[in-house]
Amino acid sequence: MAALEPPPPRLRPIQHHLRVALEHEKRDPVVAYYCRLYAVQTGLKLDDKSPECRKFLGKLMDLLESMKKQLATEEAVSNDVVGTAHIEGTAINLFTYADNEDRAGRFNKNMMRAFFTSNLLFDVLAVFGELSEENIQQKKYAKWKAAYLHNCFKTGETPVAGPIGIEGVLFEDEEHEPSTSGGGPQYTIDSNLSEDIAHEGTFSNIQVPHGAHAPANTPAEVPHHSGDVRLTAEDFTRAQKYCKFAGSALQYEDVNTAVQNLQKALKLLTMGRE
């Protein structure tokens, strides 16, 4: 699909999500669809009255409607539960890959971009409702790490591996972004970071290595339950979610995360508990 022109100044906060949508156009059109849906919903809140914003959002809605028709048979678009699992799984896979690389001290722009993109995809989860507390914390941390690493790459400073305490972080085009802590240094995710993503290797070129998401302890083999198990509708939903996480992990050739999520689904379905 043809790319839209850059959004008007009043809609600049959605430009990052639109760029992620463009990068996923062919690789994962479901992600592209929901990024644009989030951009429309957010854009309408920012400015739905000025002629230039109405024109831009109108074109974006036309594009979204066209995508919805093309993805009519895609369950992740027609079913919110499956859609949530798809977006959340992609965000978590990216976050875990970046976090593992960071803790191992393997600093590079792919890892920085993975943090940056996972933060944006956690934003996109808002189209399905409120984020879980865990997702909120992952989003905050991913956003801060992307800004911190970007600052280090710009200044030539060697980054500190792993969690070192979240301080303030801003996108340069956000007017009222609250600081995540008081008194500490603030890092700004400016347009240069977005340009890095566009011109120095897009997200679609990030290669997540085998085992990048491997947990510290290998999951134990799941025993089968011999008795009858009564499963609720919620159990089936959770099992479906784990299977979708596994499918998302396989898109990035991450066998360990796929196996881990399939084991969770199997344990839930055979034992009635996680």
Side-chain angles (χ1 to χ4, degrees):
M1 292 183 181
L4 294 168
E5 67 271 16
R10 287 283 297 166
L11 299 181
R12 282 186 66 196
I14 66 174
Q15 67 181 345
H16 305 289
H17 303 86
L18 291 175
R19 176 161 282 162
V20 173
L22 190 60
E23 290 163 0
H24 283 75
E25 195 81 69
K26 294 181 179 178
R27 180 183 182 127
D28 192 338
V30 170
V31 169
Y33 172 80
Y34 281 115
C35 283
R36 286 172 177 146
L37 178 59
Y38 173 83
V40 166
Q41 293 178 351
T42 304
L44 289 171
K45 295 175 184 176
L46 291 170
D47 187 343
D48 64 349
K49 293 182 171 58
S50 68
E52 59 176 357
C53 290
R54 287 172 63 89
K55 179 181 178 181
F56 180 86
L57 291 172
K59 290 182 178 179
L60 184 55
M61 284 188 276
D62 289 343
L63 177 56
L64 198 61
E65 187 61 31
S66 175
M67 289 189 71
K68 189 172 184 178
K69 290 178 181 177
Q70 291 184 21
L71 299 172
T73 59
E74 177 60 62
E75 192 177 7
V77 172
S78 61
N79 185 316
D80 281 356
V81 173
V82 181
T84 301
H86 190 101
I87 300 301
E88 185 179 17
T90 304
I92 289 174
N93 285 344
L94 280 169
F95 178 88
T96 309
Y97 157 69
D99 189 45
N100 286 348
E101 291 292 285
D102 177 47
R103 290 170 189 263
R106 294 188 288 266
F107 304 114
N108 55 72
K109 290 195 173 182
N110 267 359
M111 177 255 282
M112 176 190 70
R113 283 188 284 269
F115 271 129
F116 178 79
T117 306
S118 69
N119 155 65
L120 297 175
L121 290 179
F122 283 125
D123 278 344
V124 173
L125 273 176
V127 303
F128 303 105
E130 293 185 5
L131 273 64
S132 68
E133 184 59 33
E134 182 180 10
N135 288 161
I136 291 171
Q137 294 306 315
Q138 289 170 319
K139 169 183 159 47
K140 287 181 179 179
Y141 184 74
K143 183 175 182 178
W144 180 84
K145 262 294 181 178
Y148 168 71
L149 291 167
H150 187 228
N151 182 74
C152 288
F153 290 143
K154 283 199 304 182
T155 62
E157 176 186 352
T158 300
V160 176
I164 56 176
I166 299 178
E167 305 294 349
V169 57
L170 293 169
F171 280 95
E172 67 168 6
D173 46 25
E174 290 177 338
E175 297 179 0
H176 303 291
E177 177 70 12
S179 175
T180 54
S181 68
Q186 282 198 338
Y187 298 107
T188 300
I189 298 180
D190 59 27
S191 57
N192 292 330
L193 176 54
S194 199
E195 290 305 310
D196 284 344
I197 295 174
H199 299 301
E200 296 185 27
T202 66
F203 165 79
S204 60
N205 292 326
I206 292 177
Q207 297 299 313
V208 180
H210 292 293
H213 305 186
N217 297 311
T218 303
E221 186 174 339
V222 179
H224 288 269
H225 195 279
S226 57
D228 291 333
V229 176
R230 294 181 180 275
L231 298 174
T232 66
E234 184 181 353
D235 291 332
F236 284 111
T237 297
R238 289 208 307 275
Q240 185 182 49
K241 188 173 180 180
Y242 285 133
C243 291
K244 286 296 178 179
F245 285 171
S248 178
L250 289 175
Q251 284 188 312
Y252 303 100
E253 300 181 355
D254 180 8
V255 176
N256 287 287
T257 297
V259 169
Q260 183 182 3
N261 280 285
L262 288 173
Q263 285 177 326
K264 288 181 179 179
L266 179 61
K267 183 177 181 181
L268 179 61
L269 293 173
T270 57
M271 301 182 69
R273 59 183 174 82
E274 296 181 47

